[in-house]
Amino acid sequence: MSRVTRVLACAGLALSVGSTAVLAADDSKFALVPGGPHPYFSAWEQAGKDAARDFGLAAADYKVPQKWELSQQNQLLESLLSQGYNGFLIFPGDSVGTGSTAAELVANGAPVIAGAGCLQDPSDAAFCLGTDTGNSAYLGTKQLIGALGDSKRIVHFTGFLVDPNTQLRIDAVQRAADEAGAQVVQVIADIDAPEPAEEKINAYLAAHAGEVDGIITTAWVPAVVAANALRKIGDKRIKMVGIDHDEVVLQAIKDGFVTGTMLQNPYGQAYIGAFALDKLRSGCTVKQDAPLMANALTAKFIDSGTAFVGADGVDNYVDAMRAATKALFDTFEATYLTCQ
Amino acid sequence: MALPDSPASPATRQAKRPMARYFLTNEFGLAALIVLFAVLFGVTAQGFLSPFNLFALGRTASINIMIGLAMMVVIVTGGLNLALGAIGVCAAIFCGFLIQDAGLAWPLAIVLALALGAALGSINGWITVRSGLHSFIITLATMSIFFGAMIFLTRAQSYRGLPPELTSFGRIKIVEIVSPLLVVTVVVALLLAYLYRLTALGREMLAAGAKAEAAELSGVRVGRVFIICHMLSGAIAAVAALMLTARNGAAIPSMAGQLGQDWLLPAFLAPVLGGTLLTGGRVSVLGTCLGAFLVTMLTSGLLLMQIGEFWIQSFLGLLLLAAVLIDKSRRMLLDRSKLS
């Protein structure tokens, strides 16, 4: 090796070592990866574009596994790391099973934040930014019970049993019902997909509509299907509180078939998640005394916000989500991060 | 001296035929495709040849190959095992339970988990033989029974209190790019090749699958052989699930998706691409390994080329269709060469 080459090599090495301490924002290339295709996460795409523009990132791309399979998500994450992505906001395909992949990503220098759903502790995710699912289900059930008359028989439509959040939701609905003297007559789970939701909800209402007074749904697809079913039945006696902001549910609220919905904040999760990833790559760390909350999965939880929207607020639901995002973003760095 | 345009002598034709037949085999076709796509991806897909991607590719392929082998050993009989995902998950969860809750040593827990996989497989075989129904129907039913029982007993809880000897096995790198899981797969494949080529039991399996009545007349206890094939399938499915447990660092109910259905596509693709006859009686262990590896490599390469995650599934479907058509052409060519 010639002397000039050696000098250049040493200079390059020195530069690279120096640059790893504090990385520039413009080489930050983040991937926002849900567990699979689902309408809930569609807001992540725009949030990623907005975050890339606002924070000067090289990219904050929304990357969807082709199917809702843990192995597909793991393979996509491994591929994205190989492609040079260096920060990840991940909705865990499984709260435990995604942990080892997250550990590998972090070991390769890419910070990980769990978004919309948490990894079970201990994990290498910096924190979990999502909806407090149990609390959301509890508050939604309270709203439903408030809308019911003397008879309080509730049916609960919810998501996949393999998702630990489902059990949290089932428990929270039961707790709210017990507190108010209501009866959960049936829990129908494993229906957060169009086909099983259509089949089971329509069959249940066809046979038992007269035996229930209220419906609580704690997953996106069942909320849509149940709202449609109530519209078809045309009987506004049965009250319903849904979840999320699908147009079908919002229109059903406007038309009086659905009492209201529990909003989550997917846009804020992705926008603030990308911001936080950039800060973590730039050398920031999560504060030792950050006011992180605990839920059933993690002690590193940050609530991205949840709100009930009824007929009086349905036209301005976007404002409610924006307000929740702004409130969290304005204080996020000062509250949760320590930056040099 | 032969004339330039004279036909080759019979001896020369005999010498050339095995070579021609070799070029027409599935194994050669798959090997050629693997080399072709490896070169293509190596040149065009950024990161394909990176050590991490090669390691991840080998690790994923090892599990897919094992899943393919689990199906292959039943296809030999002309049957199917749709329950192999459910059996695998049951075995993995049982292993987690034995280690975490029952406090057993991990080697003993693994042996018992493999025994459970074999036992569940033998139940499939026994019902199939006793009922005379096609294993498609039987395993479709047991898929729900096994998975449902597991979810009921565990309440969809994961087991992550596994010893580091087990969990680190999925992350260790041999010379930077080789996963030890790949070594396990190679060993199992070699054992299967030995079984079919060099043991009486293996030949009985092939004979029973090709023509059960003829095998019965030849003294083969066909029912017993079919049960052993299903038992073997269950045990190999358990091995695949334990490998996945090592890769995920935990035994999780969702590792093979709802009812274990996520395993079905790789389970069918690998043996069919590899040249195992769906009607039974012919098996190709090498072909199954190459088929699974090709599918895994294509998925990896296409992901890296960012052609769109949703196109990959279509591409794999097209590949399966192409493989079936090519196989038909190959057999026609072979038939013609026999006639000529």
Side-chain angles (χ1 to χ4, degrees), chain A residues 29 36-37 61-72 74-85 93-101 103-105 108 119-124 160-164 167 171 190 297, chain B residues 46-48 50 52-53 55-57 59-60 64 147 151 155-160 170-171 173 244 246-255 257-258 261-263 265 295-296 299-300 303-306 309-314 316:
Chain A
K29 191 178 176 189
D61 296 334
Y62 176 58
K63 296 284 183 181
V64 190
Q66 53 188 308
K67 285 170 75 182
W68 200 274
E69 286 179 14
L70 177 62
S71 58
Q72 300 267 357
N74 284 340
Q75 214 172 342
L76 177 61
L77 289 168
E78 289 165 353
S79 172
L80 291 168
L81 184 69
S82 299
Q83 288 170 43
Y85 284 85
D94 183 275
S95 57
V96 172
T98 308
S100 64
T101 303
E104 280 187 339
L105 298 175
N108 281 278
L119 284 165
Q120 190 168 319
D121 283 343
S123 84
D124 288 290
F160 292 119
L161 281 171
V162 290
D163 176 0
Q167 195 57 49
D171 293 345
D190 265 348
L297 295 172
Chain B
Q46 185 201 348
F48 182 76
S50 67
F52 180 79
N53 190 59
F55 166 74
L57 174 62
R59 185 171 60 179
T60 307
N64 285 342
F147 195 86
I151 287 286
R155 289 173 64 85
Q157 285 303 306
S158 305
Y159 291 94
R160 66 182 312 185
R171 296 183 208 166
K173 293 174 183 170
L244 203 49
R247 186 254 174 272
N248 289 330
I252 51 177
S254 64
M255 65 164 59
Q258 281 292 100
Q261 292 174 15
D262 292 359
W263 282 14
L265 186 63
V295 170
T296 310
T299 306
S300 171
L303 278 172
L304 285 168
M305 289 174 79
Q306 302 190 42
E309 289 81 3
F310 294 96
W311 282 106
I312 292 170
Q313 206 70 12
S314 305
L316 293 180

Side-chain angles (χ1 to χ4, degrees), chain B residues 57-78:
Chain B
L57 174 62
R59 185 171 60 179
T60 307
S62 67
I63 294 167
N64 285 342
I65 291 169
M66 197 64 80
I67 292 169
L69 292 173
M71 182 64 92
M72 182 199 76
V73 297
V74 174
I75 291 180
V76 166
T77 67

Side-chain angles (χ1 to χ4, degrees), chain A residues 271-322:
Chain A
Y271 186 80
I272 297 170
F275 167 77
L277 284 171
D278 190 36
K279 289 291 174 189
L280 291 171
R281 280 202 80 237
S282 302
C284 299
T285 54
V286 178
K287 273 185 180 171
Q288 292 287 338
D289 58 347
L292 299 170
M293 299 158 64
N295 65 14
L297 295 172
T298 181
K300 298 184 286 186
F301 180 71
I302 299 173
D303 191 357
S304 58
T306 185
F308 175 79
V309 170
D312 54 341
V314 70
D315 288 325
N316 302 315
Y317 85 93
V318 175
D319 293 338
M321 292 173 76
R322 279 189 187 142

Side-chain angles (χ1 to χ4, degrees), chain B residues 329-340:
Chain B
S329 308
R330 180 182 63 83
R331 276 183 277 128
M332 284 169 63
L333 273 170
L334 281 174
D335 287 343
R336 276 186 205 163
S337 69
K338 279 175 195 165
L339 289 172
S340 64

Side-chain angles (χ1 to χ4, degrees), chain A residues 214-226:
Chain A
I215 296 172
I216 180 79
T217 60
T218 53
W220 184 299
V221 179
V224 172
V225 173

